[in-house]
Structure formats: structure tokens, C-alpha cells
Amino acid sequence: MRSASEQADGPERAGGTGAGEHPAPGEHAYPDHWEADVVLRDGGTARVRPITADDAGRLVSFYEQVSDESKYYRFFAPYPRLSAKDVHRFTHHDFVDRVGLAATVGGEFIATVRYDRIDGRGLPASAPADEAEVAFLVQDAHQGRGVASALLEHIAAVARERGIRRFAAEVLPANTKMIKVFTDAGYTQKRSFEDGSVRLHLDLEPTDRSLAVQRAREQRAEARSVQRLLAPGSVAVVGAGRTPGGVGRTVLRNLLGAGFTGRAYAVNPALDAPGTDLDGVPAFPSVAAIGAPVDLAIVAVPAERVPEVVADCGEHGVRGLVVLSAGYAESGTEGRERQRALVRQARSYGMRIIGPNAFGIINTSADVRLNASLAPEMPAAGRIGLFTQSGAIGIALLAGLHRRGAGLSSFISAGNRADVSGNDFLQHWYDDPATDVVLLYLESIGNPRKFTRLARRTAAVKPVVVVKGARHSGSAPPGHRVPVTRIPHATVSALLRQAGVIRVDTVTELVDAGLLLAGQPLPAGPRVAILGNSESLGLLTYDACLTEGLRPQRPVDLTTAATPADFRDALAAALTDDSCDAVVVTAIPWVGIEGTTEVLAASLREAVAGGGAAAAAKPVVVVHVEMGGLAEALSAATSTRPAPGRTRRPAAAAPEPPVAAAAPGTPVLAASPGTAASPGTAASPGTAASTETPASTETPAGSAPQGTPDAPAPAPARNIPAYPAAERAVRALAEAVRYGQWRRQAAEPGRVPEYDSIDEAGAAALIDRVLGERGAGQESRGVTLTAEEAGELLGRYGIALRPTLPAPGPDAGVAAAARLGYPVALKTTAPHLRHRPDLGGVRLDLATEEQLRTAYAELTEALGKPEELQPVVQAMAPRGVDTVVRATIDPAAGAVLSFGLAGAASELLGDTAHRLVPATDRDAAELVRSIRTAPLLFGWRGSAPVDTPALEELLLRVSRLVDDHPEIVSVALEPAVVAPTGVSVLGAAVRLAPAAPTTDLGPRRLPSY
């Protein structure tokens, strides 16, 4: 594909290199913000950056490695080599009308793209021309990796920044790959056939489809990059010592002990003798000396030696690194610089990094069995994906899940997470068939906007449970590079819950919730049946349910004389009762009777297994007091040996190795059977379920005995979670209830309404004018609009401010009232009195001139001179409920819409609800109803209900305003009085600032270092 100038004069034409034809490159600063690291389709990385005059040698070398066919597709003619004029033209750009970008790996070009601005006749032009010719060239060895698609995203963003709205491209019909790049991008386009070539025109304005395409590609690429780390065909442990002990040798031992199915190598510069081995695997002095492909390198050498290891790995095709070495950003300024250099170096070779200062990664899949971590034992295979930023917390979580009988699909402890983060693993787990529940321990969120987006999408198909550490420290943990947020922790939690994230406060709650979600179906509602052999424990459970917002039924007391059979019968009855959605079983020990724990566990499992479809749809949890063996008995559900007449699942896990003896105090991560269906399905077997596939999920009464050829097998056993306290069990159940409700609502998402009365262009012109006149040098503080400007801007979006006129003196106040019409209100607007009616700065319902003058005199006598009070006269609004609507731009979370009642409710008690922008009609309705004082809006104690539809429309219009105009950094409507009919906005404050670059709406890129 070629540009217009190349069509006219061939590749030799110098184009913009003539004097006076185009600005010299030096006239425009190098746009370093265009540089980006991107993940490609195969999971590798590349760096995208502007092409400069220093790239002449790289361009020539790149072109020499392109096939003749690709050159022909690019220039429409045989062109074996670039002339000096070509090289000059393709490396000298003004970064405005002529731009070139390159994708590089290892510092060398693998692909290029460039645009030339053109006029309506297809000739070189400058602004205000808004069209450009675009052309790509991808090295043959890198075609099929998604390089051109990534470059198109970035060159389109550059073009939009420079005022270009359309791309034109000419492609030979045989160049189907390039045509597909354009047609699959999702932009609005036109295609024509002229003079033997395909002519394409792309409108660069992002569309819903182009954004969906971009994010789908991002998900596939990032998921693939994680898959390459979790499922390597070969692993080299760099830093494995000669003698046992040490980090490297420990990881090698753990890798082999887990039964890794691929090839393993040990690497240590001191191991230079041929034929050396460590722990039975070949040992080499370097990765280069291995002489065979290495997919993953575990780096366990001192930090100062890591750069040479990275270079050795990168030059010999290693795909990813797990860096266990410490001494990076967690150690101070010097370490932060070392960490930045590490990331830059690894990405230059197309490698991704877990770490540094990482604990390691684990994949329990029978096809991989990877334990590239410091965990001494391989966890049991299961359906939980676990990500943690702390090695110590990771150990605690592994031990806690093991004790409770839960298995893992994969485990990652990312340390400083300088590169691969929780966002990447959310991309992987989103469509990972081996993972049903995602557990995350996070101390920081590097890209909160992206995290919220990915969490919302993942939560729509499987639970995502998050515990956030370092909530109240006011800063990120050492080693974590994150944007600083200005919004309270409670607001962040609310926004995560809006995205479907199950937000818990402690590691214990993380395990509690994960255990229930992995082993039980989602409840259909909040109705809870309670049964047990202790009336007191039943009442405690009942109270806990009420505290968590559930609807418990009166507890069924089986009395202390109840036998395991009584528990079985009561549970079976509750599971078939249509009036409940979940069951809590409470149990205390029997006095003087031994061996009942195992019998009770078997009875409960029998009731669940024999309850049919109704039982399969209801979660069951157990609360036990001083019955420590009950949890183990419930989790050790069934054998994995095939019974007569039953067959193994094709994907069943391989037999677990025997449990090795552990040092005192070390958690032994033993094998436990288990695969499970996805949570929330009709039958959701748990982590301790049998790996066998029954012929039927139920055994009807009167059917043939088990074991005969015609006998249907029983439903696979569920892992029934057990808790030592009623509050823990009920809290986990309540989280499952709320998540289930969110899932059902997410199946029918709300919409962002369109309003005919919105003048987006007029609002943009006003914003540009204000920033142009008063915004110079105000990037950090912003510009506060005057009352008139705020009223005009809001009016463009159909938000009317109640008319207000200044009253610098009593006569001016009377004149203002005459214009507005009585009755009126007299208010002070001084900053120290604004929104403080308790200080007496407001007089309402002034119906006559005499009342107005009297009120004016009282105000000035009590509070100060008119010039201090800045009084205004405002037309009276209908009586109603005073509310406050705010929208702010947070550097970490993005645009946030907030709502609450004005005054003490929101300011003193913090009764405020929040949603991310853009808000949907469902979000607006939930905002209004989710504050604790919401009953005041709906006729509390006989008062008249207010016009909540009008209030919801106001919220949606404010959301649309800040979403359309990123220059708006804050909007506050206070008060907005909601009457039985209509809503009146009495005051507004708006601040503007030049739009900051977004972190999640532009072309895909990795966090920069």
C-alpha cells in the first residue's frame, strides 16, 4: 500500500524533504508520549515509538529482511532496496502533517506505519486539512502477530491528536491481510475499486464497535501472555546453586517435586563442566549454553546480576521471566531505578515479567503441573484462581484454602508487579475453563479504570473476590507505582461493588467467600432457612442474617438430642422448600458420644446429594462450635476412584503425589479431589467433588441399584463449607446473595439515554473559550466558572439553574425581586456561609418588598457588611427534599457521579452513593435508592413522595456532561430541591482544566516505565 505522493512519483520521490515544503523536524518537539509498549496477539511484547532521523540504519536493515512480495504490496512495484532519498523521507517527519511510527523488538524494527496529511485532491497539505494517507509495512517473520492492528490503533490516536479525522489507504486486491486489518478495526469506512486497487476510507472517530474490537484484541493478547507464563514447555531456573538450600535450588526442587511435565534446566555460571546435573536435571552455565528453546526463566540471582541474565534470556528467545530477586523498588530510590531498567530491558526483548521480589507462580493443571514458586508443596487441583501481591499473604492463603479443602487452578504472587499485574490475570481467568472463582489480594491498583472494566466483565461470568491491603496508609506500598487517588476508600469500595466485585475486608473473609463460591451454587434470593441442634446458635445465626440484610426464617431447633439422621431429614426438607433460597446448618457437639462428626458430615452430604434439582440450586453452609473435625469431614467428600459402571472425565486431574513431611509450622498442601461446575449453575459441584462423570445427576426413587449397567449414578458431591462462627458463615452467604443479585441484573444492563435537548457542540465551544481566556498556567488548579458561565454550560445539557440576581444593597435586592417575581429567597454567597443555613444566611418565602428589606437589614446586622456577605435574590423553588449531586474526575478512578441528601446526612454521616461515569438509567435509579436516607424521597412517615424520575434524569444529564467533556474536572449542584413535581437546581459550581490523557480509552498499552 502506498501514499498519494508515491503513486505520483514512485518511492524515489522525496516528498516533504524540499526546502519550504514541510516544517523541519526540529520545529516540533519529539512526542515522547506516543511511545508505548504493547502486547501482541501471541503474548509477546513490542515497543511502538515515533521514527526519527537516527533510525536510518534500522530502517535499511528492516527493509532488507522484508520479502519481495511484501515490498510489492507496499509500493505496487518491484523495489528491492531503498534509496538515500527514500530513507531520508521515511525517517524525517514533522510529527504533525507527516508522522511515522515503528514497532520494535530488541531495538530493531519489525513493522512501520506512516501517514501524510493530504488535501481534497490527494496532495500534501497542512491543517486545517483533516485527511491523511496511511501505509504499513510488516516484516514477514512477524506477520500474523497482530502488529499492524496495534500500529493502526496508535497511528489513529496520533492522527486524531493532530486534527486528522479520516484515513485513506490504497491496497492491492491480493493483499488480503492488510485489507482485513482495516475492515476488522471497527471504524466507519467506505471501500471502492479504482485503477486495479482497493481504495479504503476510514473515519477515525471511535465507535462502539472499534472500541469493542480493541478491547477484545487486548483481552486475547494479554490472556495469551499470561498463558505463556503459566504453561511453559520448558523452564530454566537461573541461580540454582550446587548445594541444597538457597532460593534457586529451592525453586528447582519445588518444580521437580510438583511433577512438571515439561523440560527443566538449571543455570549457574559456576556450572561449566559438561554433563553436570542438579537434582537430576541438566545444568548449564548460561541459557545460551542450553542449546534448546526455553519458554520461562525463573531468576534467583542477586539484583546486580539480573541485567546480564535478562540479556542472556532475551537474546535466546525466552518468552517470560519470574524474577524472585529482591533489591528493587521496595528498597528505595536506587531500587526503583533498577526496577524501571529491568522492565525496559525485558520488554525490549518482547518478554513479560512477574515480579521482581515475587514469590512465584503455580499451575495445577495435569498437563503442566508447574510449581515455580517458594511454596514447598503443590496445592490441590481445584477451581480457584488466586493472585496476591504479597508472598507472606500468599502463604497464608494457600494454607487456609488447603485446610478448608479447596483446590486451586493457578496461583500467582507478583511481588512488586512491575509488569504483569492483577489486570493481566483477570484477562486470563475471564475465559479460562479451569477457573470458576477469582480471589485477589491487592495492596495497590495500578490502573483502576482498567481494573474496574475488567472486573465487571469477569464478574458477569464468574465471581471476583477482592481484599484490599494498605487501605488507610495514604500511600502505595514500597515498590508499587500507582496513581494517587483523592477519593475516600469507602468510595473506591462502592465503585468496585458497582462493577460486581465482591469486596471483603480481611484475608479470612476472602477465604470464607471463596470457599462458598467455589463449592456452592449462587442463591436465588435472600431467604435463609436455619436449622440445628442449638437454639442459641440458631438465634445468633438469625441475628447475623438480619445484620447482613438477609431474610431469615425462624430457626428450626432440632434439640440437643438430634441425631445425624435428624439433621439429614431436616436439611432435605429445607432444600425442597420453595420458601427459602439457602440453608444454614448449625451444630454443637454431642455430649459423651464419639464418632458423630464423620457421621453428621456424611448425613449432610447425603441430604444434599439426594435432593434433586431443588437441592442443587440452593447453597448450604454449616456453622459448627468446637467441632473441628466437621470441616475436614465435609471437605473430604468423595473418592476419586472410579466406581463400577462409571467412567473418568476426559480432563480429570492426574493423581496427586504423596504428601511429603513438612517442617514444623509449614502448611502441608495435600492433594484433595475436586473439580466443579461454574458457580451459579443449576448443579455446581464444589472443590471436593468427585472427578468422575455420573450417568445421571439424580437417582430417582425405585431405580435400579447402583453398580448395575442400567443404574444412573448419584449426583457428584458438593463441598459444603463449614465455619467456626455464625457471623463468618452468614457474611460469606450474604456476599453470595448480593453477587447473585448483581449477576441477574447484569444480564439486563441499563442504557445511557439520549436527550434531544443536549447541545454538545455549544458546550465544547464554551469550554474552549473559557480555557483559552483564563486557562493558561492553570493546569494544576483549574478554572472555576462564574455563576453565569456555569448556568450557560449546564443549560446546554438541559439543566436549568433557578434564576438568581445579585443584591449588593437593599434597593438592588428589591429591583431583583421585582424582576424575578415574589416570593423570593435572600441568600448570602460568601464562601464561609455557603450551604450553611444553620448560620442564618438564608431567608425564605419573602412575599413583599417590606419583608425583603427587613430580612436584608437583619442579615447585614447579624453577619456583616453586604460586600462581605455577597447577598443574592433567588426565585423561590417548590418545597421538597434538598439533595446534592456531584461529579468529580479522580486521577485513579476516573469520572465518579455522587448523590446524597444535602446537609448533615452527606457531610457529617457520609451517606453518599457513587457510580462510575457514564451512568446508565439503572445506575441512576440505584443511586437514588442506595443511600440510607432514601426513604425521605419516597413518602417517609406520610410525607409526599418526590419526583424521583426527574431526579434520575438530572443525574443522567450530569453524567453525560462530564463524560462528553473531559475538561470538566468537577460539578456540584447544591442544593437540588426535589419536589413532588420536578427538581430545581438552586446552586452550581463547575471547574475546568485542560483534559488529561486517559489511561483506558486510548490505544492499548502497557503501563510505562
Side-chain angles (χ1 to χ4, degrees):
M1 53 187 304
R2 55 179 179 169
S3 68
S5 59
E6 289 159 356
Q7 295 174 45
D9 300 295
E12 286 281 350
R13 187 178 186 272
T17 62
E21 199 170 341
H22 285 281
E27 294 181 19
H28 298 279
Y30 177 81
D32 53 8
H33 64 286
W34 293 351
E35 295 183 356
D37 292 307
V38 298
V39 183
L40 302 177
R41 183 182 301 156
D42 62 356
T45 66
R47 185 159 186 81
V48 175
R49 64 170 179 82
I51 298 173
T52 70
D54 296 333
D55 290 319
R58 296 183 185 88
L59 180 66
V60 171
S61 175
F62 159 73
Y63 193 78
E64 289 174 349
Q65 298 177 64
V66 175
S67 70
D68 290 339
E69 181 183 45
S70 294
K71 292 174 183 176
Y72 186 89
Y73 285 156
R74 169 63 178 84
F75 294 110
F76 291 19
Y79 206 77
R81 66 187 61 84
L82 296 175
S83 69
K85 287 184 177 181
D86 294 329
V87 173
H88 187 278
R89 172 176 173 77
F90 296 150
T91 56
H92 288 67
H93 305 97
D94 62 12
F95 304 129
V96 177
D97 299 326
R98 299 179 59 248
V99 172
L101 300 179
T104 68
V105 173
E108 298 300 320
F109 287 8
I110 64 169
T112 63
V113 62
R114 60 191 300 268
Y115 78 67
D116 291 81
R117 194 189 301 259
I118 58 174
D119 60 19
R121 298 172 297 167
L123 299 177
S126 297
D130 62 357
E131 185 172 351
E133 287 260 352
V134 65
F136 294 76
L137 186 59
V138 180
Q139 205 173 88
D140 294 67
H142 294 276
Q143 291 178 11
R145 300 184 65 200
V147 184
S149 298
L151 282 176
L152 177 57
E153 290 179 21
H154 284 263
I155 198 71
V158 168
R160 289 193 296 269
E161 180 182 329
R162 296 310 196 198
I164 293 171
R165 297 291 173 258
R166 289 178 303 282
F167 272 162
E170 191 169 6
V171 188
L172 288 174
N175 192 358
T176 55
K177 292 181 180 179
M178 198 65 242
I179 294 174
K180 186 173 175 60
V181 168
F182 286 115
T183 56
D184 288 353
Y187 295 112
T188 303
Q189 57 186 270
K190 297 179 181 178
R191 189 192 322 200
S192 61
F193 188 80
E194 303 173 9
D195 300 327
S197 63
V198 178
R199 185 77 173 173
L200 295 165
H201 291 268
L202 281 77
D203 187 340
L204 299 184
E205 186 66 27
T207 65
D208 290 342
R209 182 168 177 265
S210 69
L211 189 60
V213 167
Q214 177 180 314
R215 288 178 171 173
R217 287 172 173 167
E218 172 194 64
Q219 189 274 326
R220 289 193 298 269
E222 293 180 0
R224 177 59 182 155
S225 73
V226 168
Q227 182 65 16
R228 299 203 316 179
L229 295 166
L230 285 175
S234 54
V235 175
V237 180
V238 183
R242 292 177 180 271
T243 58
V247 173
R249 191 66 178 269
T250 298
V251 173
L252 180 62
R253 182 196 66 199
N254 296 344
L255 180 71
L256 300 176
F260 176 55
T261 60
R263 300 177 303 280
Y265 306 100
V267 175
N268 191 317
L271 304 174
D272 52 0
T276 305
D277 69 78
L278 291 178
D279 292 332
V281 303
F284 300 91
S286 66
V287 173
I290 294 175
V294 174
D295 296 327
L296 179 67
I298 315 301
V299 181
V301 302
E304 58 271 16
R305 285 188 48 210
V306 170
E308 63 185 81
V309 172
V310 174
D312 183 26
C313 293
E315 290 168 3
H316 294 88
V318 175
R319 293 182 169 187
L321 306 173
V322 177
V323 181
L324 308 182
S325 312
Y328 288 88
E330 79 283 356
S331 62
T333 303
E334 182 179 348
R336 281 193 293 272
E337 291 302 320
R338 186 181 294 123
Q339 183 166 300
R340 293 189 183 102
L342 168 64
V343 174
R344 286 193 295 265
Q345 183 186 17
R347 287 182 181 171
S348 73
Y349 289 109
M351 296 185 294
R352 301 214 66 184
I353 299 174
I354 291 179
N357 196 28
F359 185 76
I361 60 175
I362 295 173
N363 183 356
T364 64
S365 167
D367 296 331
V368 182
R369 301 197 57 79
L370 174 72
N371 182 7
S373 78
L374 295 172
E377 298 293 338
M378 186 77 158
R383 311 294 298 175
I384 296 175
L386 175 60
F387 177 91
T388 171
Q389 293 176 352
S390 162
I393 298 298
I395 294 172
L397 287 169
L398 288 173
L401 288 166
H402 163 66
R403 284 196 304 269
R404 307 281 291 279
L408 299 177
S409 61
S410 49
F411 164 79
I412 305 91
S413 180
N416 295 359
R417 58 137 192 79
D419 180 27
V420 176
S421 70
N423 284 347
D424 296 284
F425 281 92
L426 279 177
Q427 299 276 39
H428 166 70
W429 283 321
Y430 166 68
D431 56 4
D432 176 27
T435 302
D436 289 337
V437 179
V438 174
L439 304 184
L440 304 169
Y441 170 78
L442 304 176
E443 293 176 347
S444 63
I445 302 176
N447 188 340
R449 297 188 193 191
K450 182 175 179 179
F451 176 80
T452 303
R453 168 170 61 86
L454 299 185
R456 182 194 296 270
R457 185 188 60 189
T458 305
V461 294
K462 59 189 66 173
V464 177
V465 191
V466 173
V467 61
K468 178 78 166 56
R471 300 193 303 269
H472 305 298
S473 64
S475 61
H480 293 221
R481 182 177 179 271
V482 297
V484 178
T485 180
R486 293 191 293 260
I487 59 179
H489 166 69
T491 304
V492 175
S493 296
L495 298 178
L496 290 179
R497 288 189 181 276
Q498 179 195 354
V501 172
I502 300 172
R503 177 74 175 78
V504 297
D505 291 327
T506 68
V507 170
T508 300
E509 291 177 0
L510 185 73
V511 174
D512 286 347
L515 195 69
L516 188 152
L517 292 163
Q520 296 291 310
L522 293 177
R527 302 170 302 172
V528 180
I530 303 169
L531 60 93
N533 61 351
S534 168
E535 181 180 12
S536 298
L537 188 54
L539 291 174
L540 285 174
T541 304
Y542 182 90
D543 291 342
C545 287
L546 291 176
T547 300
E548 291 293 335
L550 302 179
R551 291 164 50 190
Q553 299 175 354
R554 183 174 297 277
V556 176
D557 182 16
L558 303 178
T559 77
T560 55
T563 65
D566 294 330
F567 273 89
R568 179 197 61 208
D569 295 341
L571 177 56
L575 289 173
T576 57
D577 184 357
D578 292 337
S579 67
C580 74
D581 304 305
V583 183
V584 179
V585 178
T586 63
I588 61 172
W590 282 267
V591 178
I593 302 178
E594 299 294 334
T596 53
T597 297
E598 291 76 12
V599 177
L600 175 60
S603 297
L604 296 178
R605 292 198 303 269
E606 182 182 351
V608 172
K618 292 182 182 179
V620 177
V621 299
V622 173
V623 178
H624 62 91
V625 175
E626 298 301 327
M627 297 180 70
L630 181 58
E632 287 76 8
L634 286 169
S635 64
T638 54
S639 169
T640 58
R641 289 196 302 267
R646 300 174 74 177
T647 57
R648 287 275 185 184
R649 298 187 186 193
E656 299 282 349
V659 179
T666 302
V668 178
L669 303 177
S672 104
T675 57
S678 177
T681 56
S684 180
T687 53
S690 169
T691 57
E692 301 152 1
T693 302
S696 171
T697 58
E698 297 181 44
T699 304
S703 62
Q706 294 182 27
T708 65
D710 297 326
R718 293 206 311 247
N719 180 20
I720 303 174
Y723 302 87
E727 295 77 10
R728 287 175 56 182
V730 171
R731 189 175 299 118
L733 180 60
E735 294 293 358
V737 168
R738 287 189 282 266
Y739 171 68
Q741 181 181 15
W742 182 90
R743 275 274 289 267
R744 290 188 290 273
Q745 293 175 345
E748 299 179 2
R751 63 183 185 88
V752 178
E754 294 289 338
Y755 296 109
D756 295 335
S757 56
I758 287 178
D759 180 9
E760 183 177 347
L766 173 60
I767 291 170
D768 290 342
R769 175 172 59 79
V770 172
L771 288 177
E773 294 173 353
R774 310 205 308 271
Q778 302 295 316
E779 288 80 1
S780 59
R781 292 173 295 175
V783 176
T784 300
L785 298 189
T786 65
E788 293 76 13
E789 291 168 338
E792 181 183 352
L793 179 62
L794 294 170
R796 301 283 186 180
Y797 274 70
I799 302 170
L801 286 181
R802 202 72 179 171
T804 304
L805 295 174
D811 293 338
V814 170
R819 288 181 56 189
L820 297 173
Y822 289 100
V824 295
L826 179 66
K827 302 179 179 181
T828 62
T829 60
H832 65 288
L833 297 172
R834 187 185 296 273
H835 308 310
R836 291 295 306 275
D838 54 307
L839 298 180
V842 178
R843 298 291 189 273
L844 302 176
D845 285 321
L846 304 176
T848 66
E849 177 180 339
E850 180 181 358
Q851 291 179 358
L852 177 57
R853 289 186 182 275
T854 300
Y856 201 102
E858 291 173 350
L859 277 183
T860 53
E861 181 179 350
L863 299 176
K865 299 178 181 179
E867 53 269 24
E868 298 172 350
L869 303 181
Q870 304 173 26
V872 297
V873 173
Q874 188 173 57
M876 278 298 298
R879 295 285 186 175
V881 178
D882 289 3
T883 67
V884 57
V885 175
R886 291 190 178 95
T888 58
I889 306 298
D890 183 81
V896 179
L897 181 67
S898 305
F899 170 75
L901 297 194
S906 58
E907 297 177 14
L908 185 60
L909 303 179
D911 186 18
T912 306
H914 312 274
R915 291 294 184 272
L916 290 172
V917 170
T920 66
D921 53 358
R922 184 190 296 276
D923 293 329
E926 291 175 351
L927 265 177
V928 170
R929 290 157 179 80
S930 58
I931 57 175
R932 297 192 299 277
T933 46
L936 293 172
L937 302 170
F938 294 94
W940 184 66
R941 286 192 172 181
S943 61
V946 300
D947 191 349
T948 51
L951 175 58
E952 292 167 15
E953 181 177 329
L954 175 65
L955 289 165
L956 291 167
R957 287 180 180 274
V958 173
S959 170
R960 174 73 184 274
L961 173 65
V962 297
D963 189 45
D964 288 346
H965 305 284
E967 300 88 352
I968 300 175
V969 294
S970 70
V971 175
L973 308 184
E974 185 178 4
V977 181
V978 192
T981 302
V983 58
S984 302
V985 179
L986 306 188
V990 181
R991 286 181 58 249
L992 307 178
T998 58
T999 57
D1000 194 40
L1001 298 179
R1004 51 196 157 121
R1005 62 172 62 208
L1006 291 171
S1008 60
Y1009 265 91

